[in-house]
Amino acid sequence: MKQTNLLLCKLFIGALFLLGSVLVNGEDPYMFYTWTVTYGTRSPLGVPQQVILINGQFPGPPIEAVTNNNVVVNLINKLDEPFLITWNGVKQRRTSWQDGVLGTNCPIQPNSNWTYQFQLKDQIGTYTYFASTSMHRARGAFGALNVNQRAVITTPYATPDGDFTLLVSDWFKMSHKDLRKRLDAGYALPLPDALLINGASKGLVFTGQQGKTYKFRISNVGIATSINFRIQNHTMSLIEVEGAHTLQESYESLDVHVGQSLTVLVTLKASVRDYFMVASTRFTKPVLTTTASLRYLGSQNAAYGPLPIGPTYHIHWSMKQARTIRMNLTANAARPNPQGSFHYGTIPINRTLVLANAATMINGKLRYTVNRISYINPTTPLKLADWYNISGVFDFKTILSTPTIGPAHFGTSVIDVELHEFVEIVFQNDERSIQSWHMDGTSAYPVGYGSGTWNVTMRKRYNLVDAVPRHTFQVYPLSWTSILVSLDNKGMWNLRSQIWSRRYLGQELYVRVWNDEKSLYTEAEPPLNVLYCGKAKRPI
């Protein structure tokens, strides 16, 4: 009997060992990076300028990943200022600790390092990363983050013959420190001096073969201006927007607003030569333009002829185009489906937030506000204060859920939302400039765009069937944009203007998605290497 029990015990232990081996071997792959952030000199406008480099590169090194990869980035800060990177569009499921904004992370001090670790859980598509601190983003410190689907998941289009990434950015001759001084003094920023594509103002060439089809990933990593992108004598088939497959409509040009990304397919059907690829600013006077070249293999002729004409102001044109971008409801994808939210039009709205942006004066200086509150960062990250119940850092009474009349003032705005609430957020823009809003930790459905002031009757205009989920939303001048979102990701999430001067001067807030359940299934514990600052002290 003892021998039988011993044998059963050994078999049980062996089975556990094999199961453990399967679980370990079945873990999603890890990608390890060490990035050193430094100042360097480049000449994007033809004259030497100080830029921010990552591993000596401008733009920074791309991350080419696959769905569910684990990304580990050891970031070494060699600047003379605290620094953080945020991963624009990465949902950080259960791990707002890795979000890389001052509401969730203590900044990485000069001559020190910190290691990010996050999973690209259930995501595909075209994303970016960039510096979230101060005005660093205006001087570089940005790059591409591309997530390809796993082989077992089919795409709704044939595999392209090549893959190109285009990071379009506006650019200033002034340094990031001079831009910051101007904002601190209470003045708005001037129009940028130029546009860049992948850090260059001219001379960039993308080469393909006649008859082949290529994927172009286009991201607006600028800080101020919407752009329009087009290719001379070619049409573009839109296939993906910020992680969602779209209906494959053809476009001669596409608007990409600050912080947004999209992916198109281009088939090289024209004669063998070079063609202009054009990015130009929208809603600006004057219009800034930059070009690159699409070169057919074997071309002996540089691009020539007039540049393809693009829209300039044309607000209605852009709004109409935005309504044509629809989700491909039949496509496979690596994506979660909180609350069955692909059927978002049938889910009851639990709560409505109306957020109005404004430019105002506080203490004689220009500030930007949301519902009359101009955000200031406390010395203690909100996430640490919330996790460790540190009082005096923020409260839920600072900002109201609808606009009110009265003077603007400083505050640390946090809106409290229960985990799994289905929320309607309306961005109300009563200014004459276009706005761009981004929400960390999730994707949302932009269901409506309209002129004037939003009211509940506008819901009759909503697209409740096939709006494309995305993380960044444009709001046209004197207009509103409405989104629907299932807040299924527990954490402290930044809701901000992607127009960086506006964010720097207060146009942001945080959404705390929470319930009282302590579970690793809903939120991870603080990482072992978490940084502490302000009132937050390392537990003994």
Side-chain angles (χ1 to χ4, degrees):
M1 178 65 93
K2 288 182 180 180
Q3 289 180 339
T4 302
N5 289 339
L6 182 60
L7 178 60
L8 289 173
C9 183
K10 287 182 178 179
L11 289 172
F12 179 72
I13 293 172
L16 287 178
F17 177 81
L18 288 173
L19 179 60
S21 298
V22 169
L23 292 175
V24 170
N25 292 333
E27 190 173 8
D28 292 298
Y30 278 75
M31 305 175 69
F32 294 93
Y33 301 90
T34 297
W35 286 357
T36 302
V37 182
T38 61
Y39 292 121
T41 301
R42 295 291 186 273
S43 302
L45 302 184
V47 295
Q49 289 181 277
Q50 185 189 70
V51 300
I52 297 177
L53 307 175
I54 300 177
N55 286 1
Q57 298 181 45
F58 168 72
I63 293 177
E64 298 288 346
V66 175
T67 300
N68 289 352
N69 279 175
N70 294 281
V71 178
V72 181
V73 179
N74 177 27
L75 194 145
I76 303 166
N77 179 18
K78 290 294 185 179
L79 303 184
D80 56 356
E81 300 176 322
F83 184 82
L84 283 172
I85 276 180
T86 191
W87 314 93
N88 196 50
V90 175
K91 294 181 181 178
Q92 304 290 1
R93 298 197 67 80
R94 305 184 306 112
T95 57
S96 62
W97 305 102
Q98 308 292 333
D99 202 28
V101 291
L102 290 174
T104 57
N105 295 79
C106 297
I108 305 167
Q109 296 300 317
N111 296 311
S112 66
N113 73 297
W114 193 70
T115 301
Y116 294 88
Q117 181 171 329
F118 56 89
Q119 186 178 27
L120 300 168
K121 180 67 174 171
D122 295 325
Q123 289 192 252
I124 61 162
T126 300
Y127 306 96
T128 57
Y129 65 83
F130 49 73
S132 68
T133 39
S134 189
M135 292 296 290
H136 295 134
R137 182 179 173 186
R139 244 339 159 245
F142 56 75
L145 200 169
N146 299 326
V147 186
N148 295 290
Q149 287 178 264
R150 291 177 293 171
V152 295
I153 299 176
T154 59
T155 57
Y157 52 86
T159 302
D161 298 292
D163 194 323
F164 301 121
T165 296
L166 287 78
L167 302 176
V168 184
S169 60
D170 42 39
W171 194 253
F172 291 82
K173 293 178 181 177
M174 296 172 65
S175 72
H176 71 282
K177 291 183 179 180
D178 287 338
L179 292 173
R180 191 169 64 208
K181 287 178 183 177
R182 183 182 176 98
L183 292 171
D184 289 341
Y187 299 101
L189 294 187
L191 186 72
D193 295 293
L195 292 182
L196 308 178
I197 298 176
N198 293 354
S201 59
K202 59 183 179 180
L204 208 61
V205 176
F206 298 85
T207 302
Q209 187 174 343
Q210 188 181 43
K212 303 288 187 180
T213 298
Y214 296 88
K215 178 186 288 188
F216 287 80
R217 301 176 182 269
I218 306 157
S219 296
N220 185 339
V221 292
I223 67 165
T225 55
S226 300
I227 64 106
N228 179 268
F229 181 80
R230 52 205 182 270
I231 303 176
Q232 184 183 31
N233 293 3
H234 291 74
T235 58
M236 301 175 288
S237 178
L238 185 65
I239 58 170
E240 177 254 325
V241 168
E242 296 171 12
H245 291 307
T246 62
L247 294 179
Q248 293 173 32
E249 302 287 351
S250 292
Y251 296 88
E252 292 185 353
S253 72
L254 279 161
D255 281 353
V256 190
H257 304 281
V258 181
Q260 292 185 344
S261 298
L262 54 81
T263 305
V264 299
L265 293 180
V266 178
T267 300
L268 276 54
K269 297 180 179 179
S271 58
V272 174
R273 66 176 181 89
D274 291 9
Y275 296 89
F276 287 117
M277 303 169 65
V278 184
S280 59
T281 56
R282 297 284 271 116
F283 320 114
T284 65
K285 294 179 181 179
V287 175
L288 304 176
T289 302
T290 191
T291 64
S293 292
L294 173 60
R295 174 168 296 167
Y296 280 50
L297 192 65
S299 169
Q300 301 297 317
N301 298 306
Y304 60 88
L307 299 183
I309 297 173
T312 54
Y313 210 79
H314 304 102
I315 294 171
H316 180 71
W317 184 98
S318 185
M319 191 181 293
K320 184 176 179 181
Q321 182 181 86
R323 293 190 182 112
T324 68
I325 299 176
R326 303 295 183 95
M327 185 163 68
N328 186 338
L329 298 176
T330 64
N332 291 320
R335 56 194 182 189
N337 186 21
Q339 288 198 39
S341 60
F342 297 155
H343 303 289
Y344 63 92
T346 64
I347 302 174
I349 295 171
N350 301 120
R351 187 174 180 183
T352 296
L353 305 173
V354 181
L355 305 177
N357 57 266
T360 188
M361 302 293 285
I362 301 178
N363 299 332
K365 292 184 178 182
L366 173 67
R367 294 289 299 192
Y368 297 106
T369 63
V370 185
N371 288 4
R372 296 193 297 112
I373 307 300
S374 186
Y375 185 88
I376 52 174
N377 280 299
T379 57
T380 307
L382 307 177
K383 184 62 191 171
L384 289 175
D386 191 38
W387 187 270
Y388 292 110
N389 297 313
I390 301 171
S391 61
V393 177
F394 71 92
D395 60 50
F396 301 120
K397 299 178 181 178
T398 299
I399 188 170
L400 300 177
S401 58
T402 56
T404 57
I405 298 174
H409 57 277
F410 295 110
T412 301
S413 301
V414 182
I415 294 176
D416 192 29
V417 176
E418 187 174 344
L419 182 65
H420 300 304
E421 276 197 280
F422 194 72
V423 179
E424 175 186 45
I425 302 177
V426 179
F427 300 103
Q428 180 65 50
N429 179 19
D430 296 325
E431 300 181 72
R432 295 185 179 275
S433 59
I434 190 166
Q435 308 296 315
S436 183
W437 283 91
H438 169 87
M439 189 170 186
D440 284 348
T442 191
S443 289
Y445 296 89
V447 292
Y449 305 92
S451 302
T453 302
W454 181 89
N455 61 64
V456 294
T457 65
M458 305 298 183
R459 292 173 180 161
K460 296 177 182 178
R461 308 182 191 176
Y462 285 3
N463 173 7
L464 297 178
V465 178
D466 58 359
V468 59
R470 62 189 313 163
H471 54 70
T472 302
F473 324 98
Q474 71 271 24
V475 192
Y476 296 98
L478 304 176
S479 299
W480 55 268
T481 294
S482 184
I483 66 174
L484 298 178
V485 55
S486 179
L487 293 171
D488 70 311
N489 194 10
K490 194 170 177 179
M492 185 73 70
W493 302 112
N494 193 211
L495 181 56
R496 62 175 177 264
S497 174
Q498 291 281 49
I499 300 173
W500 224 240
S501 60
R502 301 185 74 99
R503 181 185 186 240
Y504 182 82
L505 291 182
Q507 196 168 296
E508 68 174 317
L509 57 102
Y510 281 80
V511 178
R512 181 224 199 194
V513 181
W514 187 84
N515 68 1
D516 58 4
E517 176 191 16
K518 274 272 190 178
S519 170
L520 294 179
Y521 289 104
T522 56
E523 185 171 31
E525 297 278 338
L528 295 177
N529 67 338
V530 66
L531 298 175
Y532 293 89
C533 54
K535 295 182 178 181
K537 309 298 180 184
R538 184 176 296 278
I540 299 175

